[in-house]
Amino acid sequence: ATGRLVHALQRERGLSNLYLASQGQRWADERLAQTVHCDALQAEVRAAFDVLDTDSARAGHGTRLFSRIAYVLQGFDALQLLRQRVQTRQWTAARATEGYIRLIHGLLAVVFEAADSASDPGISRRLVALFNFMQGKEFAGQERATGSALFAAGTAGADGQQRLLHLIDSQERCLQVFADFASEPLREAWRAVQRHDTLASLERLRRILATALPGGPLDTALSQIWFDACTAHMDAMKTVEDALAAELEALCRERLQAAGRELESLQQWQDAGPELPGSNDFFDDS
C-alpha cells in the first residue's frame, strides 16, 4: 500500500512541477485528477496503519516504526495545504518539490524501519532490496520533477542541471544495493527493464538537459515528452517493485506457516506430558 501511494505521489509531484513551470497554463486537469487518485491510495495506507498490532511491537524497533508512522500521518494532514499552495501558484516548483519529497521520504522511512526490525535473514535481505529499489525509484521521480520544471520553464538552470546529475548518481547507488540483496529472478527482471527502448529515449533527453548552456533556452515542447519518458520508465520500475513485494509476501507467508507448524508440534508435546520418551533412563549408567 505504501509503494502504491509513493508511486502516485511521485506522479502528482511531476504534474505539479509542470503546472507551476507553465504558470498554470497547462496540466491543471491532469494534476487535479491525480490528487483524487492519491487520496484513495492514502485511505488504503491509513487503513493498513490502523490494523497494525501496537501492543506486541518489539521494543525499540516498534517505537521507531510508530514514530515514523506518526510523522507520515502529520504529512497526510498537511498535504491539502501543499496542494492549495500549488493550485494558487503561491509556491515555486522547487518549494513544492521539497514538500512532496518530505512526505515521500517519511513513507520510505516506514519501509526502512520495517526492514531494520526484521529478524529473519531471508526476509531482511528482501526488505533491504525493496527499500533500496523504492529509494532509487524516488530519486528517479525527483529527476522527473526537476527535468519537467526545466523543460516547462524553457530555460536551462545551472542548479537544476547539477541536481539532475546528482539524482542520476544517487539512483545508480541505490539500485546497486538492490542488486546486491535481491534474488536472481528479480535482478533479471530489472535487467529486462534496462534493456527497454524507453530508457534509450530517456537517455537522449538527459543529454539535452545536461549539455545545454546554463541560462540557455530549452524547447518547452519537450516537457511533455520528458514527462512521458520518465513516467514510462518509472511505471516499468513499479512492475519490478511489485514483484519484489510479492516475493517478500510469499516468503513471509512461508515463514509464518513454518512457525505455525513448529508451534503445533510444541503444543502436541506439551499436551502429551512433561516427560520425553526415555527421559527416565537419562542418568542410567547402563
Side-chain angles (χ1 to χ4, degrees):
T2 301
R4 288 192 294 271
L5 178 57
V6 166
H7 188 66
L9 285 170
Q10 287 166 339
R11 179 176 174 82
E12 180 180 330
R13 177 179 56 197
L15 288 167
S16 296
N17 272 265
L18 289 169
Y19 171 80
L20 290 169
S22 69
Q23 304 300 314
Q25 299 302 307
R26 300 179 63 190
W27 295 285
D29 292 340
E30 293 88 342
R31 187 189 72 83
L32 290 176
Q34 186 63 20
T35 63
V36 174
H37 179 55
C38 287
D39 285 344
L41 294 175
Q42 181 189 143
E44 290 184 11
V45 173
R46 284 181 180 271
F49 287 164
D50 286 342
V51 298
L52 287 174
D53 184 358
T54 59
D55 294 329
S56 63
R58 288 177 290 276
H61 291 305
T63 301
R64 292 197 299 271
L65 174 62
F66 296 129
S67 176
R68 300 293 192 186
I69 290 174
Y71 180 79
V72 166
L73 292 174
Q74 289 180 330
F76 286 168
D77 292 339
L79 182 56
Q80 290 303 323
L81 177 62
L82 166 58
R83 289 169 171 170
Q84 182 183 359
R85 296 292 189 268
V86 172
Q87 176 70 26
T88 57
R89 293 188 287 121
Q90 296 180 48
W91 282 4
T92 64
R95 185 171 182 184
T97 295
E98 288 302 318
Y100 282 106
I101 288 174
R102 181 174 297 184
L103 177 55
I104 292 172
H105 176 77
L107 286 162
L108 291 176
V110 172
V111 179
F112 173 80
E113 289 300 340
D116 195 43
S117 64
S119 57
D120 182 279
I123 291 174
S124 181
R125 286 184 63 87
R126 284 164 176 80
L127 272 166
V128 170
L130 175 61
F131 169 74
N132 279 277
F133 193 86
M134 292 178 71
Q135 183 64 72
K137 184 166 147 303
E138 163 57 6
F139 287 132
Q142 293 181 32
E143 180 192 5
R144 174 175 63 182
T146 302
S148 294
L150 288 171
F151 274 126
T155 304
D159 290 344
Q161 289 174 306
Q162 189 61 39
R163 178 167 175 76
L164 279 175
L165 295 175
H166 169 71
L167 290 170
I168 292 170
D169 182 61
S170 297
Q171 288 174 59
E172 292 175 353
R173 289 199 303 270
C174 287
L175 293 170
Q176 181 57 55
V177 176
F178 150 76
D180 291 340
F181 284 85
S183 65
E184 180 54 34
L186 271 298
R187 287 196 292 267
E188 176 53 36
W190 173 234
R191 287 192 288 266
V193 168
Q194 292 174 295
R195 291 192 294 266
H196 199 274
D197 291 341
T198 301
L199 190 57
S201 174
L202 179 57
E203 290 292 348
R204 287 192 294 270
L205 293 166
R206 280 174 169 173
R207 283 194 294 272
I208 293 174
L209 287 171
T211 59
L213 292 175
L218 290 171
D219 185 359
T220 57
L222 291 177
S223 60
Q224 184 70 64
I225 298 173
W226 165 266
F227 184 83
D228 291 343
C230 290
T231 298
H233 180 58
M234 291 184 66
D235 286 347
M237 292 184 74
K238 187 64 172 65
T239 64
V240 178
E241 180 187 312
D242 290 344
L244 275 163
E247 183 184 70
L248 175 62
E249 185 176 5
L251 181 60
C252 288
R253 189 179 298 110
E254 176 187 314
R255 294 290 196 268
L256 283 170
Q257 290 171 350
R261 289 192 296 269
E262 291 177 7
L263 183 61
E264 183 179 353
S265 296
L266 178 61
Q267 187 64 51
Q268 290 174 352
W269 172 76
Q270 289 176 332
D271 292 342
E275 294 185 355
L276 289 170
S279 62
N280 290 331
D281 301 329
F282 186 86
F283 293 107
D284 193 336
D285 290 339
S286 62

